[in-house]
Amino acid sequence: MMGGDGPNSYAQNSEYQKQLLVSAEDLIHDLIHEHLDTENPTFNNSNSTIRIADFGCSVGPNAFFAVDNIISAVEDKYKSNQNHPEFQVFFNDLIDNDFNTLFRNLPTSRKYFASGSPGSFYGRLFPKATLHFAHCSTALHWLSRIPVEVTEKNSIAWNKGRVHYSGAGKEVKEAYSSQYKEDFETFLSARADELVDGGLMVLVILGFPDGALLCESSIGLTFDMLGSCFQEMAKMGKISEEKVDSFNLPFYYPSPSELKAMIEANGLFNIVRIAKLASPMRAKPDPQILTSHLKAVIGVLVEEHFGNGMMIEELFRLQFEKMVESPVLFDGKLWKEANYFVFLKRNARSGSPQQKFQKSKRKTKSSHIMR
Amino acid sequence: MMGGDGPNSYAQNSEYQKQLLVSAEDLIHDLIHEHLDTENPTFNNSNSTIRIADFGCSVGPNAFFAVDNIISAVEDKYKSNQNHPEFQVFFNDLIDNDFNTLFRNLPTSRKYFASGSPGSFYGRLFPKATLHFAHCSTALHWLSRIPVEVTEKNSIAWNKGRVHYSGAGKEVKEAYSSQYKEDFETFLSARADELVDGGLMVLVILGFPDGALLCESSIGLTFDMLGSCFQEMAKMGKISEEKVDSFNLPFYYPSPSELKAMIEANGLFNIVRIAKLASPMRAKPDPQILTSHLKAVIGVLVEEHFGNGMMIEELFRLQFEKMVESPVLFDGKLWKEANYFVFLKRNARSGSPQQKFQKSKRKTKSSHIMR
């Protein structure tokens, strides 16, 4: 992601992500109200601190919005409780995220103690059983790495000339898909370690409905255009064909049934809800905005791979020219991607006070019914 | 402080601070061994996380060294205990600290989960009773602000022509001293809120022995030189005299008896030890190193106040020229400043499990004696 606050920065090109958070706002509020056990010993102790982590925070504005929403829902829930918790919020992103900008952007009137926690969320970032709420919005489509097979000349999954599995053979899609499974499983297990029993997790995941074809979607076509821009630049001798062949975008877009299957296979969370979010407004797709957004998201990846600062401007000028004539701008049916809201609750560890608490709760309930 | 890793950076000019940490190393180890109650409920629970915070971490290297030392001592103490804790470390500094560099510098083989926590340590930074160990080395001589009186033309404490209380009238010294008292009390109270009962705190504080005169010391003379550099530049018309008169360095150097009195007045900590640390090697004071160090520490303050990037080089060239001829270089008796090691233990809050634990421990002991 592009750091800072400039016109190419992620901070200035993330309105889409913000709109998603707005559509998730009420859902989060209602589900916290329904599923947060304030009587649960991990949420209710004499000096209760509620710890919230946002995974993939970037430089801020949207992460602050999401956190404020979670805190307001938790506060509502604690209204009638004697213990008013203090909130500690951890903002996580990769170590090369611009944390200086994140910290400068922190709202001054915040209701929480803030920290930044650098590192990949495909791994442990916090001590065991210390988080109460984990949040991760539109970040999990980033793979931890490009599957090796797609960059190897001798592999049947070699992705020559393309930058993504969109439109590629099934071997390429499978390589991406198994990398996603591995990453998502690692993510779930790490968060399960970090969350307290009964802890809650909200994921907003960019994916595609079951059966939708990526190559017949706006995202797929955009990546195809990008691939052809690279090829044109290679033909002009501005970048090497070899470099183009080895460049792949580290994004995977799962379907809701894939998500459900992976969460069930992991087994550490109870699925409270998987719902498709209302898609952000796309009234008039603007080629300049679409290109700027793409540049904000992948510009750094391109520079890292090709190592040529100058090329970036030309690449995205070509992309803009193709975008202007692309059906992506006028064919609404191409906008097939969807955002899936996933609300999970950490299962109680066996023998934990939380498990005993849940058992006694069930007992009370059933004896009440029997009376 | 100057960020980054360049030749003027704090990271490259903090060998003195590092040497201090080395002299404190064994003391910290022994005192943790003696005073950390691993049986204490706040340190010994089923999923025990030990939380350590370093206050005033700058961009890292020395903070990592200090934290490693604390962790190794705590691990030694837990050797025979069934619960092996996980460590969570918070690195704190002001919001304009270069946290990006700090995070890039983090040791890859660290034994802890790391976070950065931006904000002034003269205020709360963490939820109540969540830290087990607080560490702050050579940072508390930074005042939260310049006492207003010393910058006001009509005040009897107006510090015209000087940059510090060194060599100034007693009103100036008193204004600095009362600001320090206020700041130190705020620091102690905030840390007392954040530490668990029985939590430990190490402070390394730059000060002067009781009775020593700052104006007859290397630090005092260095500040006097700096003051005269500013005046020369004002005479040459390069900066305004008014700006010089309103510039003051936000440093105060307490004596050990002042420290002791302030900690006792605060009343929330038990003083385990106050000791003078061995002074870092000063075999051959090098005028270039002394000037670079001063520039790394105060360069940003000067730029903020005078708003002129160019002037900095000239200022420190003048300072270097004065330094070359200064008695600071050859009169060892001028190096009067000392570093005080302060080891504190958070008193138990009344009615807390820790207080009951301490009472029962005393009871067990006395009944054992009576038998």
Side-chain angles (χ1 to χ4, degrees), chain A residues 37-74:
Chain A
D37 296 333
T38 48
E39 299 303 314
N40 170 339
T42 58
F43 283 88
N44 187 35
N45 49 64
S46 59
N47 50 351
S48 55
T49 296
I50 299 288
R51 293 194 180 83
I52 299 167
D54 182 68
F55 294 89
C57 61
S58 185
V59 294
N62 291 339
F64 307 142
F65 178 85
V67 163
D68 284 348
N69 184 31
I70 293 165
I71 289 179
S72 108
V74 176

Side-chain angles (χ1 to χ4, degrees), chain A residues 72 79 96-97 108 128 145-146 163 190 193 205 231 238 253 256 263 299 311 342:
Chain A
S72 108
K79 239 185 222 160
D96 54 7
N97 182 50
T108 44
K128 60 169 184 276
R145 59 184 183 109
I146 296 295
V163 298
D193 279 348
I205 295 177
Q231 287 184 341
K238 302 203 169 173
Y253 307 103
I263 298 164
M311 207 200 60
V342 179

Side-chain angles (χ1 to χ4, degrees), chain A residues 46-47 49 51 84 86-88 90 95 97-100 103-104 106 110 113-118 124-130, chain B residues 46-47 49 51 84 86-88 90 95 97-100 103-104 106 110 113-118 124-130:
Chain A
S46 59
N47 50 351
T49 296
R51 293 194 180 83
H84 290 283
E86 290 189 329
F87 294 93
Q88 184 169 34
F90 297 93
I95 205 157
N97 182 50
D98 187 353
F99 283 94
N100 288 346
F103 289 161
R104 275 194 298 270
L106 275 169
R110 62 190 183 270
F113 300 107
S115 291
S117 307
R124 283 280 299 282
L125 291 160
F126 301 102
K128 60 169 184 276
T130 55
Chain B
S46 59
N47 52 352
T49 296
R51 294 194 180 83
H84 290 283
E86 291 188 330
F87 294 93
Q88 184 169 34
F90 298 92
I95 205 155
N97 183 49
D98 187 352
F99 283 93
N100 289 347
F103 289 162
R104 276 194 299 271
L106 274 169
R110 62 189 182 271
F113 300 107
S115 290
S117 308
R124 282 280 300 282
L125 291 160
F126 301 101
K128 61 170 182 274
T130 56

Side-chain angles (χ1 to χ4, degrees), chain B residues 47-58:
Chain B
N47 52 352
S48 54
T49 296
I50 299 288
R51 294 194 180 83
I52 299 166
D54 182 68
F55 294 89
C57 61
S58 186

